Structure formats: C-alpha cells, structure tokens
Amino acid sequence: MTKPVGMEVAVAAAEAVALCNIDVAACYPITPNTHIAEHLADIIADGRIDAEYITVESEHSALSAVMGASGTGARTFTATSSQGLMYMHEILPITPAMRLPVVMGLGNRAVSGPINIWNDHSDIIMQRDSGWLSIFADNGQEAVDMFIQAFKIAEHPDVLLPINVNMDGFQLTHVVEPIVFPTQAQVNKFLPPYKPFASLHPDHPLSMGTLGLPEIYTEAVKARDVATVNAKKVIVQIWQEWEKQFGRKYEPVMTYKTAGAEILILTMGSMGETAEVAVDALRKKGVKVGLLKLKLWRPFPFDEIRKAVRGAKTLVVTDRALSYGGPGGPVCSEIRAALYDQPNRPEIVNYIIGLGGRDVRVEDFMKMIEGAPKAKKSGDAYQIYGVRE
Amino acid sequence: MSTLTVTPNYATGVVSNFDLFAGKLVDREEYFSCGHRACQGCGEALAIRLMCKALGKETVIANATGCMEVISTLYPTTAWKLPWIHVAFPNAAAVGSGVEAGLKVMRRKGRIPDRYVKTVAIGGDGGTVDIGLQALSGAMERGHDMLYVCFDNEAYMNTGIQRSSATPFGASTTTAPAGAASPGNRTWKKNVPEIMVAHNVPYVATACHSYPIDFMNKVKKARAVKGPAYIHCLAVCPTGWRAESKDCIKLGRLAVETGIFPLYEVENGKYRLTVEKPEKLRPVTDYMKMQGRFRHLGKEEIGYFQDRVNLEFAKLMNKVECIESWDELKG
C-alpha cells in the first residue's frame, strides 16, 4: 500500500477511473464535476491510458455516446452534475434497461432555479427512479475506492446495471484530502476485465434496444427490478472483498458510535464527517447519540436500515433535497417506508439541510439533535433547517 | 498507447478509382430482411434494404427512434441481420459516435478482431433535422469515422404525420393542417445537406430509393470515406403523403424530375449532379397532383412553390458550376 498523497478529490476520482483502464469516456463540462472531466482528458492526452475521449456537445450525447461504446463491449465512463444530469434524463432509464454497465461520476449540485452551482442532492434525487445503482462517498478516499468498486459492481454478470458514484459538489469535489491510492497491480487483481454479455460486432449480429410491446414491457420491468434488488447482495460481497484486500470497510449503512444510542442521526454524503464531530461533542456531554451514514441509495438497503435503528427512541433523518408538497425529504420517505410496519420503531424527525451549498456546521447538527423532541412535537412531516427569516 | 495521428475531417475523403457498379453486381444477401411491419409501398424500408446491401456485413447500425425502429424490431423479432442499436429519438448520431469510438479502441487494444467495421447512424427527418440536429452537428464536427443517413419522408410519420422542418411548403400535416386560414405548412424545407457541407464533411449527398444504383453508389462512396459522411435520402411515404402505395417509386422519380429534390453529391467541397439534369424540369404539379397532402393548394400557392423550386434549383446549379473543390482551391 502506498503512502497517502494530498490531492483534490475530483482529480483523485479521475485517477481512480484511469486505474480502471477505461476504454471510452464522454464528458461535457459542468461545474462542479468539470475537474474530473478535465483531469481524465489530461491522463488520456498524456497517453497514460489507452482510451477514446469524446468531447460531446451535450450531456444528452455524453450518455448516448458511452452507451453506444458500452454496446461494443468497451468499459465506459461519464461524469456530470445538476442540469447536466437533468439533460441526460431522457436517456438515463434506458441505460439500465439495456443492461449497459456505464459508470458515472456525479459532483452533486443543486438543480436550478434559482440557478445555483453549489451542493445539495436535488440532482440525483430527481433521477431516483431511473434504475441506476447509486452510491455516496463521504470523503475523498471513499470516492477513489468507490469508483474502482463501481466498475466491478456494474460489470458483475449478476448485475450488469449502470451505477453512479455521488460526491458532494465543491464540499467534496474541490477539497484537497489525503488519499491512499491502490497500485495498478492491486486494481488489476481486484477488477477483472469487462466481459460483456452481448456486444455489437458483425461476427455475431444482434439487435439492442428493441421495441417492447405491452406483452413484454411488464416482464422487462420485472426483470430489471429483480436485477436491481439482487444487486445489493453483489455490492455487499464486493465491498467485503475490498475490505479484505485494502482494509477499508464499506457497508450499505455505516454506523458511528451507535452502541447504546437513544438518538440516531442519519446522513448521506460528505456531511457525515461533520455529523461525526457533533456526535463526539454530544457524547462527551453525555447525550446517548449515534450516527448512521447511508452509503447505498439504490438499491435501498431496507433490512440494513431496520437493523441499524433497532433500540433507538428517536431517528433524526437529514435530507439534502425536498419533494415539494410531498412527505418530506426523499431519504426520509424511504426510511419511513422501511420502518412503517416495524414494532418498536423510533420516532422520526426529518430536517432538510444544506440546500444549494448552505453550510451545515457541527453546531447545526448538535442543534438538530437537541431540538429533535421539539421538532417532533410540532407535528410537521419535515422542517427546512436554518431558514433565514 | 494511442498513436498520435492528426486526422483533419477534410482532405481524407478523396475516393479515387471508385468503380460504379451495375444492378447485377448488387449484393444478393439481405441484411434487412422481409417480414417487418412497414406500410405497403414504404420507400424508407426499401431504402434501408438497399443501403444495407451497399454497406455489406462489416457494419454496425445506430438507429434513431422512428418508423424503422418500430417496424423492424418488435421484441423478440428483428429484421436486422447487421448488429444494430437503438437508444432514443434525438441521439442516433451520438450513439453512433460511441459505437465508432468503442470499435476503434477495442480493435486497437486487441479485444475484438483486427478488422475495419463501419459505423452507420440512421434516422428519419424528425430525428435528424429537428430533435437530432444538435447530436448530428456534434458528431460530424468531431469528425467521427461514421456515415449518417437521414431517411427523409418529410414529416413525423411514425407519430401520425406531424410537420417537421423537412416538410415541404404547402403540405398539409396533422400539426400544420390546411384550413380556411392556412395553406398547410408555411415554411420551406430546411436544407440540411447544406448544413452538413458547412461542417466540412468530406462527402455529402442527396439520394432517393427511386434511383437505387445512384443511392447505393453513394452509400459505397460514403462508406469508403475515413471520416464523417452524410447522405440525405428522400423516402417516399405513401401513408403520410396521402398517395397510392403503388406510386412510391414514381413519386421519388418525379421529385427529382421536377427539380424539387435534385440528386447531387458534394465531395471535398465540389458539387456534382449525379442524375443528369433534364432539358427542362417537369412542372411541380406533376409531382403534387398525385399526393393528397397538396390537394388543397390553389394557383397562387402552386405558383409560389414552382418559383421557389426554380430558385433553389438555380442556386444548386450555381454551386455545381462555380464552386471549386478544396484541392482546386489549394492550387
């Protein structure tokens, strides 16, 4: 294992993608993912990996192009954020339908309007039902690890689904962190070459992306759902393999100081580390609080959530996106659904935080945790935290 | 490692020693098989069959959503004996870009057999000149080694004859219908071949299934270009044009003989008519009277149509006669 190096996380993400020896990348610039696209272009231009880099004219074409390339059996990558992801929206559900294991890097950013380039999760949340696997990194090391894991997960013969690796824009993509890189030999050992189930070549002509009539559409949806649900087992298994080879642990729901916790707070993405500091401070004050960090967004880890909250009286769920006029934050909706028919479920408080780059500090997490009983009493399904009035 | 080769998307498309081929030399193999669900007299299905014969086996097709995808690939059947991919409506050129890049890099890395395979993207007029124009422009500008063929039946026929920017002036469509206050479509057909010429695409041509050898020659020529190429093929749609199925071939010929859809090619900047200019163009009414989509037009509109056809034809002839090839310009 090599020594940690200080590197901007977006740049490190591109280095991780290069370690996976991709064949084709197609990226369109958008803040804050641009540094991934730029650094990957640098790596290819310098001849460090042998790959084609398509400078597409839009995100819509970026995803279309990597799907075409993936159809030929190539290992493919694209990256985007916010409006770019929204522009891909038409194509996003077709990638998993065609079982093309495209890997996408997302520098999560708020969706317009008002136009805002800073971080929240509204971009990926709006694409929730597109059928992509979706994982979240807390820090730079996790981002690097997850990109390498992502190719193995997506290309696994029992999965064959596209996956996006989520990194909070700026708050993660643009910070310099100490990162341990695996060697090329270690990556080669972990990640086998991609063996496509089917590919576009005159030696074995086939039709990809055909028309599904009502007689077959439902079955196609069912097949896709089964594949997505089953992917969790493979993801967990690949994370265990990673831990065995590299010593860093990944689980669908990571826990921090949850032993004996009466109050749990749940985060997804880079705010987990801020929340850890808040939990440390509150524990020192004698508050029995612990932290849950959601790493796997799709497929959603229902069983792991049920297990993780066992014994807690209150669960504070933080969300970085909102479903307007809906039941609250999208993460919280899933958790409420997971716990609805559970006996002895904790009381749930939902805070919408960190929208459009609004900073959430350690003391904010402490306030949210300490204010949970009052928030519960209000009867509101959710609270938008820190609104300036 | 990738070899550093500078391949400008011009001057690489010179196809010298190109032999014309006769009908008896046409490939007997069918790559677009019968049994698909196209309408009777569908010009587009015929054009695709001819295109595939000219392209041959070593080809991958990227197809935009449209009639051809719908009629040929009802799961679990397919009419395609060539490797074929469809993703969505606006992105055939982008998907083709990726296929081309994938085949290139996979061959370079020794992961597929070391043979040249041509990437061909196809779409209807809607998928090409309207919603797909951005992806087409991007792919052609980037210089992918890819042929794009637009099968232009002059409206959104798959969804029910809605007007596109390729719909001719005066045609009645379901979204630009003729009525007491409207002559039908009010705009002149967008000249997308000319937009492709402006992209410095080394080979641009117009074609029609009613001139099968001419069309197949152009496909062969375009296939030989190591870079982007574009063919705009008029595809008669009896259903959408409100014409008789038996008149499909005749209508294609009349479109050419009236000068409404001249057949030409632009090779490295040089314009050339590929079907000889008749002594005198036939009147546009010979073409229009066989189609219900024009039946509402009065003398005034037909007069405008004829004048505009004359002007557009003169503009083309001016290019044919005056514009020199890039090589000639270089001296």
Side-chain angles (χ1 to χ4, degrees), chain A residues 10 59 139 157 160 167 178 193 211 275 387:
Chain A
E59 291 89 355
N139 55 46
L160 285 175
M167 297 171 289
L211 178 71
V387 179

Side-chain angles (χ1 to χ4, degrees), chain B residues 18-27 50 53-54 212-221:
Chain B
F18 183 78
D19 295 321
L20 294 181
F21 68 104
K24 65 180 178 183
L25 298 176
V26 171
D27 194 344
L50 298 173
K53 281 175 178 286
I213 300 297
D214 178 72
F215 175 43
M216 283 190 280
N217 277 338
K218 284 167 176 168
V219 171
K220 285 211 158 189
K221 220 169 190 180

Side-chain angles (χ1 to χ4, degrees), chain A residues 60 90-91 94, chain B residues 63-67 69 86-93 122-128 130-133 135 148 156 158-159:
Chain A
H60 193 284
E90 187 206 3
I91 309 302
I94 311 175
Chain B
N63 199 159
T65 305
C67 284
E69 160 265 332
H86 157 256
V87 176
F89 192 18
N91 65 352
I122 61 173
D125 49 299
T128 304
D130 283 348
I131 201 168
L133 188 64
Y148 190 100
Y156 291 87
N158 189 40
T159 44

